[in-house]
Each structure stands twice: as structure tokens, then as C-alpha cells.
Amino acid sequence: TVSVTLNKSSDYLVQVDYNTENDSAIAGNDYTARSGTLSFSPGEIDKTIIFSIQDDVIVENDEQFFINLSLVIGATISDGQSIVTVQNDDAIPVLNLTNGDKQVTLTWPGVEGATSYNVYYAQQSGVTPDTYGAMGGVALIDENSGLFITDLINGTNYYFIVTAVVRNLESLASNQVGAQPRSSIPKQSALNDTGITFGGIYPEGNNADCSGETIEKQDCSNGRDVTENDDSDGHAGFSYIKLDSNGDDLPGDAASWECVRDEVTGLIWEVKTTDGQLRDSANTYSWYNSTGFNDSGTMGSANNGTCFDTINCDTEKFVTQVNMQGLCGFNDWRLPSSMELDGLININITDPAIDITFFPNTFSKIYWSSTPVTPKDVPIRSSAAWYMDFNRGFSSSAARNLSYYVRLVRSGVH
């Protein structure tokens, strides 16, 4: 409410026009514009103008607009302008960050009414929307809530802030968070055995009991298939632990689980679902890597698969979505290498060549690895990538625009 006052009463009618004028506060965004005429009857001294402030939940600085008087009749104007301050009453959102290998995951509470968010980061502290450029930083404009950034350098300090955009206005910056991306991939201390428990009989044929005159040098006589042959946690020498949605261990007879930890390799694997959602076993993806790392010079093909939301059907986008979801409490999921995928293969069985007791909903089909084909590997197929066929357990390569299945992995503690 703003008061307009005569310094003394008049014996005559006094009239004065008024109107609002934008300053840092904008009509339609921060307040409702008004204009009109005030009439003072003889003897009246005070009149009021009521203005509507438009509330929102965007964090911004205090702003102001003007009220101007003009075209007075029956008096003169002594003070023809008032300043109205619109005070911010919204809390600054809290930005959270999870480190990863050449990557970070940013999350923050959604802002009501926000149509997008802007993320700014640089390798120096004190980054703001106005200074990030001078710091050699990066601005990611019009992002959705939550962000997975993959083009970072391990061992380098980065500093991040986020702002919200509501009705084309940008909020104040969130708190600054810092991170130093680092590799969480330990050197694999062991490889899984093959799962083969049968023996070859000279000069031809096989038997089920691993016997024969040359059996001591055969696969079934050596390795974990022999020394750790306990089928309670996986066939032959394999050893798996079921994990719940928080990444905690479950008993071997648990009826439902989200992930599986391989006790031999230390890797943690995604378990596919049949709910028609993000991790449904029927979703397929094209091979895509836009980071510039481990791609043999070719990004691949974006969004050329068939998945539940139709716009994120490539391997890179799928990884980003799963990390934002925080599967089993982790945000560092990735596409497995061809060697890591090979570690799941149980050659003793086929269709599919994997232990479905721990990895249900697995198709006897092709699954992408993260390993690109290089000119040194196959010169004429350097735009391809390696895959694993879980029908009989063999690997080969294919063009990256083809649509295949995916199972994600992360590096656990071994």
C-alpha cells in the first residue's frame, strides 16, 4: 500500500494521475502494473493505492519499481515518485554433487515454476553466472533438473553452481560445490573361470564327470571350477551376492534384488527388470559416446535404439539416466568393457550363457560393451564397437548405429 498525501486540506476538488514504472522489478513477473486517477474531495488529505506483488519461489535479489504522479489539478506536486521494494523471501536451493571417473552427478531440489536450469562451472573457486567466462569456465544452459557431466579431467578441481529460470528470469546462484573427478576402477585382481565342468574324451566326444587319459590338462581340471565349486552362490567357480536397492547384501534365496556383486572380479552389475521402465530388459540402444574418450575417433549413433521413453535410446543417455536415478545407491554406473562382459559368460551353459539364477531377464542376444573397434583391431571397421553375444558366449563387433541390449556395471571394492 502506498499513500498519497496533501500537505493540507483544500476547499476544492484535487485530482492527480498515477502510474507504475519498471525498474529491476518487472510488471507481470514481480508485480501487477496499475494506473489511474486519485480524487481528493474538499477536506480530504490522504488517499491510498494498493498494488499486488506477484509471489514466486525463484531465488532472486530484492527488486524495485516506481510509482509516478502526473497531471495534477488543484494543487502542485512536491514529491512525484515513490520507490517500492519487492523483497526476496525464498531460500537458496542446495546443490549436491557425487564424484565419478571423469564425471560428476549434480542434483538439486526442483524449483516450483522453473522451466529450466543453468549450470556454471570452472576450475577456479568463486564461479558466478557473470564471472565463469573470465575463469575459462563452462555454461550449460536450459538443462533439466539434475545433471550428469562426463567431459571432465581426473585429478582436476572443478567448482559448480546452478540457477533456475522462471518466466525467463534467472534466479540467484545456489551454493558452490567443488569436486575432483577420479577413477574408481581398481585393477581387476582376478578373472572368472569359464564354468566348464565337462571333459573331452580322446580321440573325440565329451563326458560329464571330467575324466579321461589327458584330463589333467583340460579346463575342467583346473581353476576355480575345481577349487571353489559351490553352486550356492553361482555355478562352478562363479561367486555372486545379491544386493538390494541401497546396495546392501541380501541372502542367496532373496526373491527380489536390484544388483549383483561379483565376488571374484569385484564388479557390481545391474539386474534388468520387466516393468516397462528405464531398466527394462527389452530396451535396446545404439552405441554412442560424445566425451571424446575411448571412442577411436567416432562418437557413434545417438538415440537409435528402442527404449521406454523414445528420446534417450543410446548407451550414453542410458548411463546418464541410471546414474541420476542412483541405482543401488551408486552414481558411477558405466558401460562395461568387452573383457568385463566376458567375465559373465558361463561357457558350460548356453541360451543364455549366463547364470540366470542371479541375472534373470537376460536374453540370448547381443549386449554392447564400451570397447570401440580401433583401426589396429579391424582397420575396415574402426567405426564399430565390440559386443558380447549371450546365446553361446562369443564376442564380435558391429556398427554403432545398430540397436542392441545393455547391462551396466560399476567398480566395487575388492
Side-chain angles (χ1 to χ4, degrees):
T1 299
V2 175
S3 296
V4 181
T5 306
L6 299 178
N7 68 331
K8 64 180 180 179
S9 63
S10 172
D11 294 331
Y12 305 97
L13 177 69
V14 175
Q15 291 183 318
V16 63
D17 290 347
Y18 68 89
N19 69 281
T20 55
E21 178 186 352
N22 291 340
D23 187 36
S24 54
I26 307 299
N29 284 324
D30 305 301
Y31 72 97
T32 301
R34 285 199 62 183
S35 62
T37 301
L38 297 177
S39 296
F40 294 80
S41 298
E44 288 185 325
I45 293 178
D46 296 306
K47 289 289 182 180
T48 59
I49 309 171
I50 299 176
F51 297 87
S52 176
I53 302 300
Q54 294 187 204
D55 191 23
D56 60 27
V57 291
I58 188 171
V59 180
E60 50 194 356
N61 290 310
D62 290 350
E63 298 168 317
Q64 64 184 30
F65 64 94
F66 302 115
I67 301 170
N68 300 316
L69 302 181
S70 62
L71 299 177
V72 66
I73 299 175
T76 60
I77 297 176
S78 174
D79 180 7
Q81 188 176 75
S82 179
I83 299 175
V84 179
T85 299
V86 182
Q87 294 182 330
N88 175 65
D89 63 353
D90 300 303
I92 296 176
V94 177
L95 178 61
N96 298 300
L97 180 147
T98 302
N99 239 345
D101 182 17
K102 301 176 184 176
Q103 63 196 24
V104 296
T105 301
L106 302 177
T107 58
W108 57 86
V111 173
E112 183 179 345
T115 54
S116 63
Y117 300 86
N118 300 332
V119 174
Y120 304 88
Y121 66 95
Q123 295 178 24
Q124 303 175 51
S125 182
V127 60
T128 71
D130 296 324
T131 63
Y132 80 91
M135 293 178 165
V138 176
L140 302 174
I141 306 299
D142 293 334
E143 298 292 340
N144 295 321
S145 181
L147 186 63
F148 184 52
I149 303 176
T150 59
D151 55 344
L152 305 178
I153 302 172
N154 281 344
T156 300
N157 291 323
Y158 292 90
Y159 301 90
F160 302 83
I161 59 172
V162 63
T163 62
V165 179
V166 178
R167 294 195 299 270
N168 295 321
L169 296 177
E170 187 173 25
S171 76
L172 293 180
S174 69
N175 59 304
Q176 177 183 273
V177 294
Q180 187 181 91
R182 61 186 183 278
S183 174
S184 60
I185 304 176
K187 194 170 184 179
Q188 205 163 285
S189 59
L191 295 174
N192 270 316
D193 212 325
T194 62
I196 292 178
T197 57
F198 58 86
I201 304 173
Y202 177 81
E204 62 181 17
N206 297 322
N207 61 28
D209 59 1
C210 192
S211 60
E213 59 183 271
T214 60
I215 206 68
E216 72 280 355
K217 295 184 178 180
Q218 294 188 32
D219 191 343
C220 65
S221 299
N222 299 277
R224 287 180 55 88
D225 295 345
V226 178
T227 61
E228 307 291 337
N229 195 332
D230 177 4
D231 286 351
S232 65
D233 60 349
H235 173 73
F238 292 89
S239 180
Y240 297 122
I241 300 293
K242 297 176 181 178
L243 305 179
D244 65 15
S245 59
N246 296 317
D248 296 326
D249 291 8
L250 291 169
D253 60 356
S256 63
W257 61 102
E258 297 292 318
C259 303
V260 167
R261 183 174 68 247
D262 187 329
E263 293 289 88
V264 179
T265 66
L267 298 173
I268 297 176
W269 291 93
E270 171 203 7
V271 173
K272 307 306 290 189
T273 70
T274 56
D275 57 6
Q277 299 300 307
L278 176 62
R279 294 171 29 243
D280 192 275
S281 60
N283 293 334
T284 61
Y285 308 87
S286 55
W287 196 100
Y288 185 63
N289 176 2
S290 67
T291 67
F293 298 99
N294 194 37
D295 62 0
S296 73
T298 305
M299 288 190 294
S301 180
N303 194 38
N304 199 40
T306 303
C307 64
F308 85 108
D309 64 359
T310 71
I311 61 172
N312 292 300
C313 299
D314 61 58
T315 56
E316 183 175 85
K317 294 182 180 66
F318 177 56
V319 169
T320 298
Q321 288 183 303
V322 171
N323 278 314
M324 290 179 65
Q325 186 185 73
L327 173 62
C328 290
F330 304 112
N331 303 100
D332 56 355
W333 295 94
R334 55 186 172 81
L335 202 60
S337 69
S338 58
M339 180 176 290
E340 288 168 336
L341 268 184
D342 185 57
L344 291 178
I345 295 297
N346 185 336
I347 304 177
N348 198 71
I349 55 178
T350 59
D351 195 24
I354 190 174
D355 192 341
I356 59 173
T357 303
F358 290 89
F359 296 96
N361 311 316
T362 300
F363 295 114
S364 298
K365 301 287 185 179
I366 290 172
Y367 286 72
W368 279 123
S369 82
S370 64
T371 308
V373 174
T374 67
K376 181 179 178 180
D377 296 330
V378 187
I380 62 173
R381 303 200 71 185
S382 59
S383 62
W386 293 100
Y387 66 74
M388 182 62 63
D389 189 324
F390 277 82
N391 180 25
R392 294 186 176 276
F394 66 86
S395 64
S396 187
S397 62
R400 301 179 189 184
N401 65 325
L402 296 179
S403 182
Y404 292 144
Y405 300 95
V406 168
R407 185 187 303 279
L408 300 186
V409 71
R410 66 174 299 273
S411 300
V413 178
H414 187 71

